[in-house]
Amino acid sequence: MIDSEGYRPNVGIVICNREGKVFWAKRVGQSGWQFPQGGIQTEESLKQALYRELNEEVGLRSKDVELLYQSNDWLHYRLPEHYIRYESEPKFVGQKQVWFLLGLKANEEKITLNRSRQPEFDDWCWVDYWYPVDQVVEFKREVYKSALQEMLTPFNMYTRQQ
């Protein structure tokens, strides 16, 4: 599903723990790391997409996390020119994402990266809150910065409730 401007609707997921760290995952067979994210299927709500992607990519279920925040609007990133397939219909130029901040309630041993037939990630770790902004692939950096800035207050409130 691609909108009239060429953007694919998507959910972005930031999982945090009580120690003030965020879940950071390595793409299968690549050197790049990112937050979990995934497309929204036809007739699927944002929250349905969130929990489906969370289970497929990280092995967690809705009962394993606490929904702390949902971004107010779509955040867009455009793919670099060499990734855009201008000949495809409809033309796909990037992604628009609604971001969710989740607090981990379950034990981290519940995290499993091989839940789906084609895993997205092959490694993960906990990192400092702002670390991903400088580490994610360049074309996603502004979206990461905007999402994390918007979620900072609920993140701080959650991590201070130890």
Side-chain angles (χ1 to χ4, degrees):
M1 181 170 64
I2 297 173
D3 72 12
S4 61
E5 297 175 350
Y7 289 92
R8 178 177 174 236
N10 192 281
V11 293
I13 305 169
V14 177
I15 304 164
C16 65
N17 65 20
R18 291 282 186 181
E19 288 74 43
K21 303 289 184 177
V22 293
F23 177 89
W24 192 230
K26 183 179 152 307
R27 306 259 314 160
V28 167
Q30 300 179 26
S31 60
W33 291 67
Q34 67 177 51
F35 289 129
Q37 67 177 55
I40 302 167
Q41 298 174 356
T42 305
E43 305 298 321
E44 187 175 47
S45 73
L46 292 170
K47 286 184 182 169
Q48 287 170 329
L50 160 68
Y51 291 122
R52 178 183 48 75
E53 289 292 337
L54 181 68
N55 185 252
E56 288 175 5
E57 295 190 1
V58 184
L60 296 174
R61 300 191 183 281
S62 60
K63 68 180 181 178
D64 298 324
V65 295
E66 178 180 351
L67 178 58
L68 302 175
Y69 189 80
Q70 176 181 331
S71 64
N72 292 318
D73 207 355
W74 294 101
L75 299 175
H76 295 72
Y77 70 79
R78 188 175 174 89
L79 293 169
E81 288 295 318
H82 62 278
Y83 287 130
I84 297 176
R85 291 180 232 131
Y86 288 101
E87 68 284 351
S88 68
E89 276 302 321
K91 182 175 72 171
F92 173 66
V93 300
Q95 304 217 39
K96 64 180 186 179
Q97 300 174 313
V98 170
W99 282 83
F100 292 90
L101 176 65
L102 305 175
L104 182 66
K105 293 190 326 188
N107 191 302
E108 71 180 44
E109 279 78 37
K110 283 212 155 199
I111 296 171
T112 180
L113 304 179
N114 60 358
R115 175 85 58 197
S116 68
R117 293 180 195 180
Q118 293 183 323
E120 295 280 332
F121 306 117
D122 59 16
D123 197 9
W124 71 275
C125 62
W126 295 110
V127 297
D128 290 333
Y129 189 77
W130 292 106
Y131 177 84
V133 172
D134 292 327
Q135 301 303 315
V136 73
V137 65
E138 175 116 21
F139 62 88
K140 293 183 181 182
R141 286 186 182 164
E142 282 305 310
V143 164
Y144 273 47
K145 183 177 178 183
S146 295
L148 289 172
Q149 185 62 50
E150 188 174 338
M151 295 186 285
L152 184 57
T153 298
F155 169 80
N156 284 333
M157 289 174 59
Y158 179 77
T159 58
R160 289 185 186 140
Q161 295 175 359
Q162 297 185 34

